[in-house]
Amino acid sequence: MKCQLIDLGLGESDNKVLSNYPPFYQCITIPTARNSYHSISMSFRNDDDTIRKVLKTSKTIALVGASHKPERASNYVMHYLQSFGYRVIPINPVLAKKNESLHNEKVYSSLEDVPLSIDMVDIFRNSNDAGGVVDEAIAVGAKSVWLQIGVVNEEAAKRANEAGLMVVMDACPKMEIPRLGVDGPDE
């Protein structure tokens, strides 16, 4: 499989923040413990119809791995999703203990603590940790899970599919919304 560069479609300030990171590839370039990089390929493939359906039917998104740091992808993706009319609930146990809010939303410690029905769980955690988050998403009755760019856990994706959840993996809604021409959730 030949790796191909994907245009992130980010603004100039976002690109400056990301300039310290390697480019994102279809077959995923992942940093390892010693800042070397390796590529992996997946048997799981995203489907545009599924991505579109997740984006159009999800109104409430729980974002696991939310950060208060503006230079973090989870922070600007949260704000971006809000700008399209999604309600995004940040999940971060450290920030929740401090009773913090992000982008005018209360931060919760876990999916289980969210007092709302969750349509989509957007996962900004490493690939190993994503499996536990997917299991939590299944337990709280989420309708879909979205594993961000570089987050790949095929076993977790299989568990989610078997539980009836839609799955998007190794993708970012900030890239998929404009690519697919989605203008936010259906009313």
Side-chain angles (χ1 to χ4, degrees):
M1 173 185 201
K2 183 179 178 186
C3 295
Q4 297 177 356
L5 182 64
I6 296 174
D7 179 10
L8 291 176
L10 301 175
E12 186 175 306
S13 63
D14 290 337
N15 282 330
K16 287 178 186 173
V17 169
L18 293 174
S19 65
N20 295 327
Y21 294 92
F24 293 98
Y25 292 92
Q26 276 185 342
C27 61
I28 318 165
T29 301
I30 299 176
T32 60
R34 294 205 165 97
N35 290 329
S36 61
Y37 296 89
H38 67 278
S39 295
I40 63 173
S41 63
M42 308 181 299
S43 61
F44 177 91
R45 294 285 180 249
N46 290 314
D47 172 82
D48 283 353
D49 291 337
T50 299
I51 294 171
R52 188 176 288 105
K53 185 174 181 181
V54 169
L55 292 171
K56 295 300 283 177
T57 61
S58 298
K59 294 179 182 174
T60 303
I61 299 170
L63 192 144
V64 177
S67 175
H68 66 284
K69 297 177 182 176
E71 67 273 11
R72 294 284 176 100
S74 63
N75 187 291
Y76 58 80
V77 168
M78 179 179 174
H79 181 70
Y80 181 83
L81 290 169
Q82 287 176 321
S83 75
F84 275 85
Y86 298 96
R87 173 128 190 233
V88 185
I89 308 299
I91 309 296
N92 181 313
V94 173
L95 297 179
K97 284 181 185 177
K98 297 177 183 178
N99 204 28
E100 289 200 28
S101 294
L102 288 176
H103 301 293
N104 299 313
E105 288 287 353
K106 179 181 177 178
V107 179
Y108 290 91
S109 289
S110 68
L111 295 175
E112 181 181 71
D113 294 337
V114 177
L116 305 165
S117 176
I118 299 170
D119 298 316
M120 177 176 89
V121 177
D122 191 0
I123 303 173
F124 280 89
R125 299 296 310 269
N126 67 46
S127 296
N128 290 332
D129 291 345
V133 177
V134 167
D135 294 337
E136 289 179 52
I138 293 167
V140 300
K143 297 174 186 159
S144 64
V145 290
W146 189 300
L147 287 72
Q148 281 290 328
I149 293 175
V151 182
V152 176
N153 188 320
E154 294 201 35
E155 291 174 8
K158 183 179 178 188
R159 289 194 306 274
N161 274 323
E162 289 172 352
L165 280 71
M166 293 179 283
V167 177
V168 179
M169 186 163 55
D170 188 34
C172 180
K174 188 174 188 309
M175 294 168 48
E176 297 302 323
I177 287 171
R179 185 181 74 81
L180 296 173
V182 173
D183 57 2
D186 289 337
E187 292 300 320

